[in-house]
Each structure stands twice: as structure tokens, then as C-alpha cells.
Coordinates of all heavy atoms in Angstrom, one line a residue:
E1 N -51.0 -105.4 1.4 CA -52.4 -105.7 1.3 C -52.7 -107.1 0.9 O -53.6 -107.4 0.1 CB -53.0 -104.7 0.3 CG -53.0 -103.3 0.8 CD -53.7 -102.3 -0.1 OE1 -54.5 -102.8 -1.0 OE2 -53.5 -101.1 0.1
Q2 N -51.9 -108.1 1.5 CA -52.2 -109.5 1.2 C -52.0 -109.9 -0.3 O -52.7 -110.8 -0.7 CB -53.6 -109.9 1.7 CG -53.9 -109.6 3.1 CD -53.2 -110.5 4.1 OE1 -53.2 -111.7 3.9 NE2 -52.5 -109.9 5.1
F3 N -51.1 -109.2 -1.0 CA -51.0 -109.4 -2.4 C -50.6 -110.9 -2.7 O -51.2 -111.5 -3.6 CB -49.9 -108.5 -3.0 CG -49.6 -108.9 -4.4 CD1 -50.4 -108.4 -5.4 CD2 -48.5 -109.6 -4.7 CE1 -50.1 -108.8 -6.8 CE2 -48.2 -109.9 -6.1 CZ -49.0 -109.5 -7.1
R4 N -49.7 -111.5 -1.9 CA -49.2 -112.8 -2.2 C -50.3 -113.8 -2.1 O -50.5 -114.7 -2.9 CB -48.0 -113.2 -1.3 CG -46.8 -112.5 -1.7 CD -45.7 -112.9 -0.7 NE -44.5 -112.1 -1.0 CZ -43.3 -112.6 -1.2 NH1 -43.1 -113.9 -1.1 NH2 -42.3 -111.8 -1.4
E5 N -51.1 -113.7 -1.0 CA -52.2 -114.6 -0.8 C -53.3 -114.5 -1.9 O -53.8 -115.5 -2.4 CB -52.9 -114.3 0.6 CG -54.1 -115.2 0.9 CD -53.8 -116.7 0.9 OE1 -52.6 -117.1 1.1 OE2 -54.7 -117.5 0.7
R6 N -53.6 -113.2 -2.3 CA -54.6 -113.0 -3.4 C -54.1 -113.6 -4.7 O -54.8 -114.2 -5.5 CB -54.9 -111.6 -3.5 CG -55.8 -111.1 -2.4 CD -56.3 -109.6 -2.6 NE -55.1 -108.7 -2.4 CZ -54.7 -107.9 -3.3 NH1 -55.3 -107.7 -4.4 NH2 -53.6 -107.1 -3.0
R7 N -52.8 -113.4 -5.0 CA -52.2 -113.9 -6.2 C -52.2 -115.4 -6.2 O -52.5 -116.1 -7.2 CB -50.7 -113.4 -6.3 CG -50.0 -113.8 -7.6 CD -50.7 -113.3 -8.8 NE -50.0 -113.7 -10.0 CZ -50.5 -113.7 -11.3 NH1 -51.7 -113.4 -11.5 NH2 -49.7 -114.1 -12.3
R8 N -51.9 -116.1 -5.0 CA -51.9 -117.5 -4.9 C -53.3 -118.0 -5.3 O -53.5 -119.0 -6.0 CB -51.5 -118.0 -3.5 CG -51.5 -119.5 -3.4 CD -51.2 -119.9 -2.0 NE -52.3 -119.5 -1.0 CZ -53.5 -120.0 -0.9 NH1 -53.8 -121.0 -1.7 NH2 -54.4 -119.5 -0.1
Q9 N -54.3 -117.4 -4.7 CA -55.7 -117.8 -5.0 C -56.1 -117.6 -6.4 O -56.7 -118.5 -7.0 CB -56.7 -117.0 -4.1 CG -56.6 -117.4 -2.6 CD -57.4 -116.5 -1.7 OE1 -58.0 -115.5 -2.2 NE2 -57.5 -116.8 -0.5
T10 N -55.6 -116.6 -7.0 CA -55.9 -116.3 -8.4 C -55.2 -117.4 -9.3 O -55.8 -117.9 -10.2 CB -55.4 -114.9 -8.9 OG1 -56.0 -113.9 -8.1 CG2 -55.6 -114.6 -10.3
L11 N -54.0 -117.7 -9.0 CA -53.3 -118.8 -9.7 C -53.9 -120.1 -9.6 O -54.0 -120.9 -10.5 CB -51.8 -118.8 -9.3 CG -51.0 -117.6 -9.8 CD1 -49.6 -117.6 -9.1 CD2 -50.9 -117.5 -11.3
E12 N -54.4 -120.5 -8.4 CA -55.0 -121.7 -8.2 C -56.3 -121.8 -9.0 O -56.6 -122.8 -9.6 CB -55.3 -122.0 -6.7 CG -54.0 -122.2 -5.9 CD -54.2 -122.3 -4.4 OE1 -55.3 -121.9 -3.9 OE2 -53.2 -122.6 -3.7
A13 N -57.1 -120.7 -9.0 CA -58.3 -120.7 -9.8 C -58.0 -120.8 -11.3 O -58.7 -121.6 -12.0 CB -59.1 -119.4 -9.5
L14 N -57.0 -120.1 -11.7 CA -56.6 -120.2 -13.1 C -56.2 -121.6 -13.4 O -56.6 -122.2 -14.5 CB -55.4 -119.3 -13.4 CG -54.8 -119.4 -14.7 CD1 -55.7 -118.9 -15.8 CD2 -53.4 -118.6 -14.8
S15 N -55.5 -122.3 -12.6 CA -55.0 -123.7 -12.8 C -56.2 -124.6 -13.0 O -56.2 -125.4 -13.9 CB -54.2 -124.2 -11.6 OG -53.1 -123.4 -11.3
E16 N -57.2 -124.4 -12.1 CA -58.4 -125.3 -12.2 C -59.1 -125.1 -13.5 O -59.6 -126.0 -14.2 CB -59.4 -125.0 -11.0 CG -58.9 -125.6 -9.7 CD -58.9 -127.1 -9.7 OE1 -59.7 -127.8 -10.4 OE2 -58.0 -127.7 -9.1
R17 N -59.3 -123.8 -13.9 CA -60.0 -123.5 -15.2 C -59.3 -124.1 -16.4 O -59.9 -124.7 -17.3 CB -60.2 -122.0 -15.3 CG -61.3 -121.4 -14.5 CD -61.6 -120.0 -15.0 NE -60.5 -119.1 -15.3 CZ -59.8 -118.4 -14.4 NH1 -60.2 -118.4 -13.2 NH2 -58.8 -117.6 -14.8
M18 N -58.0 -123.9 -16.4 CA -57.2 -124.4 -17.5 C -57.1 -125.9 -17.6 O -57.1 -126.5 -18.6 CB -55.8 -123.8 -17.5 CG -55.7 -122.3 -17.6 SD -56.4 -121.7 -19.2 CE -57.9 -120.9 -18.7
A19 N -57.0 -126.5 -16.4 CA -57.0 -128.0 -16.4 C -58.3 -128.5 -16.9 O -58.4 -129.5 -17.7 CB -56.8 -128.5 -14.9
S20 N -59.4 -127.9 -16.5 CA -60.8 -128.3 -17.0 C -60.8 -128.2 -18.6 O -61.4 -129.0 -19.3 CB -61.9 -127.5 -16.4 OG -61.9 -127.8 -15.0
R21 N -60.3 -127.1 -19.0 CA -60.3 -126.8 -20.5 C -59.4 -127.9 -21.2 O -59.8 -128.4 -22.3 CB -59.7 -125.4 -20.8 CG -59.9 -125.1 -22.3 CD -59.4 -123.7 -22.6 NE -60.3 -122.7 -21.9 CZ -60.0 -121.4 -21.9 NH1 -58.9 -120.9 -22.5 NH2 -60.9 -120.6 -21.3
V22 N -58.3 -128.2 -20.7 CA -57.4 -129.3 -21.3 C -58.1 -130.6 -21.3 O -58.1 -131.3 -22.3 CB -56.1 -129.4 -20.5 CG1 -55.3 -130.6 -20.9 CG2 -55.2 -128.1 -20.7
V23 N -58.8 -131.0 -20.2 CA -59.6 -132.2 -20.2 C -60.7 -132.2 -21.2 O -60.9 -133.2 -21.9 CB -60.1 -132.5 -18.8 CG1 -61.1 -133.7 -18.8 CG2 -59.0 -132.8 -17.8
K24 N -61.4 -131.1 -21.3 CA -62.5 -131.0 -22.3 C -62.1 -131.0 -23.7 O -62.7 -131.7 -24.6 CB -63.3 -129.7 -22.0 CG -64.5 -129.5 -22.8 CD -65.2 -128.2 -22.4 CE -66.5 -128.0 -23.2 NZ -67.2 -126.7 -22.8
T25 N -61.0 -130.3 -24.1 CA -60.6 -130.1 -25.5 C -59.5 -131.2 -25.9 O -59.4 -131.4 -27.0 CB -60.0 -128.7 -25.7 OG1 -58.8 -128.6 -25.0 CG2 -61.0 -127.6 -25.4
G26 N -58.8 -131.7 -24.9 CA -57.7 -132.6 -25.2 C -56.4 -131.9 -25.7 O -55.5 -132.6 -26.2
K27 N -56.4 -130.6 -25.7 CA -55.3 -129.8 -26.2 C -54.5 -129.2 -25.1 O -55.0 -128.8 -24.1 CB -55.7 -128.7 -27.2 CG -56.4 -129.2 -28.4 CD -56.8 -128.1 -29.3 CE -57.5 -128.6 -30.5 NZ -58.0 -127.5 -31.4
E28 N -53.2 -129.2 -25.3 CA -52.3 -128.5 -24.3 C -52.6 -127.0 -24.2 O -53.0 -126.4 -25.2 CB -50.8 -128.7 -24.7 CG -50.3 -130.1 -24.6 CD -48.8 -130.1 -24.9 OE1 -48.2 -129.1 -25.4 OE2 -48.2 -131.2 -24.7
I29 N -52.4 -126.5 -23.1 CA -52.5 -125.0 -22.9 C -51.1 -124.5 -22.4 O -50.6 -125.1 -21.4 CB -53.6 -124.6 -21.9 CG1 -55.0 -125.0 -22.5 CG2 -53.5 -123.2 -21.5 CD1 -56.1 -124.7 -21.7
V30 N -50.6 -123.4 -23.0 CA -49.4 -122.8 -22.5 C -49.8 -121.5 -21.9 O -50.5 -120.6 -22.5 CB -48.5 -122.5 -23.7 CG1 -47.2 -121.9 -23.3 CG2 -48.2 -123.8 -24.5
L31 N -49.4 -121.3 -20.6 CA -49.8 -120.1 -19.9 C -48.7 -119.0 -20.2 O -47.7 -119.3 -20.7 CB -49.8 -120.4 -18.4 CG -50.8 -121.5 -18.0 CD1 -50.8 -121.7 -16.5 CD2 -52.2 -121.1 -18.4
E32 N -49.0 -117.8 -19.7 CA -48.1 -116.7 -19.9 C -46.9 -116.9 -19.1 O -46.9 -117.6 -18.1 CB -48.8 -115.4 -19.5 CG -49.0 -115.1 -18.1 CD -50.3 -115.7 -17.5 OE1 -51.1 -116.4 -18.2 OE2 -50.5 -115.6 -16.3
P33 N -45.8 -116.2 -19.4 CA -44.6 -116.3 -18.6 C -44.8 -115.9 -17.1 O -45.6 -115.0 -16.9 CB -43.6 -115.3 -19.3 CG -44.1 -115.1 -20.6 CD -45.6 -115.3 -20.5
M34 N -44.2 -116.6 -16.2 CA -44.4 -116.3 -14.8 C -43.1 -116.5 -14.1 O -42.1 -117.1 -14.6 CB -45.4 -117.4 -14.2 CG -46.7 -117.3 -14.7 SD -47.7 -118.6 -13.9 CE -49.2 -118.5 -14.9
T35 N -43.1 -115.9 -12.9 CA -41.9 -116.1 -12.0 C -41.8 -117.5 -11.5 O -42.8 -118.3 -11.5 CB -41.9 -115.2 -10.8 OG1 -43.1 -115.5 -10.0 CG2 -42.1 -113.7 -11.2
S36 N -40.7 -118.0 -11.0 CA -40.6 -119.3 -10.5 C -41.5 -119.6 -9.3 O -42.1 -120.7 -9.2 CB -39.1 -119.6 -10.1 OG -38.7 -118.7 -9.1
Q37 N -41.7 -118.6 -8.5 CA -42.6 -118.7 -7.4 C -44.1 -119.0 -7.9 O -44.8 -119.8 -7.3 CB -42.6 -117.5 -6.5 CG -43.4 -117.6 -5.3 CD -43.3 -116.3 -4.4 OE1 -42.6 -115.4 -4.8 NE2 -44.1 -116.2 -3.4
E38 N -44.5 -118.3 -8.9 CA -45.8 -118.4 -9.4 C -46.0 -119.8 -10.1 O -47.0 -120.5 -10.0 CB -46.2 -117.3 -10.4 CG -46.4 -116.0 -9.7 CD -46.6 -114.8 -10.6 OE1 -46.2 -114.9 -11.8 OE2 -47.2 -113.8 -10.2
R39 N -45.0 -120.2 -10.9 CA -45.0 -121.5 -11.5 C -45.1 -122.6 -10.5 O -45.8 -123.6 -10.7 CB -43.8 -121.7 -12.4 CG -43.8 -120.8 -13.6 CD -42.7 -121.3 -14.6 NE -41.4 -121.5 -14.1 CZ -40.4 -120.6 -13.9 NH1 -40.7 -119.3 -14.4 NH2 -39.3 -120.9 -13.4
K40 N -44.4 -122.5 -9.4 CA -44.4 -123.5 -8.3 C -45.8 -123.7 -7.8 O -46.2 -124.8 -7.5 CB -43.4 -123.1 -7.2 CG -43.3 -124.1 -6.1 CD -42.2 -123.7 -5.1 CE -42.2 -124.7 -4.0 NZ -41.2 -124.3 -3.0
I41 N -46.5 -122.6 -7.6 CA -47.9 -122.6 -7.1 C -48.8 -123.5 -8.0 O -49.5 -124.4 -7.6 CB -48.5 -121.2 -6.9 CG1 -47.7 -120.5 -5.8 CG2 -50.0 -121.3 -6.7 CD1 -48.1 -119.0 -5.7
I42 N -48.7 -123.3 -9.3 CA -49.5 -124.0 -10.3 C -49.1 -125.5 -10.3 O -49.9 -126.4 -10.3 CB -49.4 -123.3 -11.7 CG1 -50.1 -122.0 -11.6 CG2 -50.1 -124.2 -12.7 CD1 -50.1 -121.2 -12.8
H43 N -47.8 -125.7 -10.4 CA -47.3 -127.1 -10.4 C -47.8 -127.9 -9.2 O -48.3 -129.0 -9.3 CB -45.8 -127.2 -10.4 CG -45.1 -126.9 -11.7 ND1 -45.5 -127.5 -12.9 CD2 -44.2 -126.0 -12.0 CE1 -44.7 -127.0 -13.9 NE2 -44.0 -126.1 -13.4
A44 N -47.7 -127.3 -8.0 CA -48.1 -127.9 -6.7 C -49.6 -128.1 -6.7 O -50.1 -129.2 -6.3 CB -47.7 -127.1 -5.5
W45 N -50.4 -127.1 -7.2 CA -51.8 -127.2 -7.2 C -52.4 -128.4 -8.1 O -53.3 -129.1 -7.7 CB -52.5 -125.9 -7.6 CG -53.9 -125.8 -7.4 CD1 -54.9 -125.9 -8.4 CD2 -54.7 -125.7 -6.2 NE1 -56.1 -125.8 -7.9 CE2 -56.0 -125.7 -6.5 CE3 -54.3 -125.6 -4.9 CZ2 -57.0 -125.6 -5.5 CZ3 -55.3 -125.5 -3.9 CH2 -56.6 -125.5 -4.2
L46 N -51.7 -128.6 -9.2 CA -52.2 -129.6 -10.2 C -51.5 -130.9 -10.0 O -51.8 -131.8 -10.8 CB -52.1 -129.0 -11.6 CG -53.0 -127.9 -11.9 CD1 -52.8 -127.4 -13.4 CD2 -54.5 -128.3 -11.8
Q47 N -50.6 -131.0 -9.1 CA -49.7 -132.2 -8.9 C -50.6 -133.5 -8.7 O -50.3 -134.5 -9.3 CB -48.8 -132.1 -7.8 CG -47.9 -133.2 -7.6 CD -46.9 -133.0 -6.4 OE1 -47.0 -132.0 -5.7 NE2 -46.0 -133.9 -6.2

């Protein structure tokens, strides 16, 4: 049911929200543990 695509979109949206929060507060944010595939999506999105 397109799980991978929906998960990718969710992770990209999460990345944007968290990046905005880091810029606004100036504090690092540590996300929940993820698989290497999920981490790669976030790294690539915010690169």
C-alpha cells in the first residue's frame, strides 16, 4: 500500500519541521532511533 513512499514523505516533513525548530531555538534536536534507510532519507533531504 505504498508504505515506503508514504514513510519517505513523512520523514521529509518531519525533517523540515525539526530543521525549522533548530533554526528558531538554536538547540540541537535528537530524533528517535531509525533504520539506516530512514536516516539516509533525512540526511539527503537536509543536505
Side-chain angles (χ1 to χ4, degrees):
E1 295 185 13
Q2 305 286 310
F3 174 79
R4 288 179 187 231
E5 178 61 24
R6 286 184 290 123
R7 182 65 177 157
R8 182 187 60 77
Q9 291 173 353
T10 300
L11 291 171
E12 288 172 353
L14 173 69
S15 301
E16 285 295 325
R17 284 194 317 273
M18 295 299 108
S20 295
R21 186 178 294 173
V22 167
V23 170
K24 184 177 178 180
T25 65
K27 296 181 181 179
E28 291 184 350
I29 292 181
V30 180
L31 301 179
E32 74 273 1
M34 296 179 189
T35 65
S36 62
Q37 183 179 358
E38 291 176 337
R39 290 192 312 270
K40 183 178 178 180
I41 291 169
I42 292 176
H43 285 305
W45 187 255
L46 292 177
Q47 183 176 7

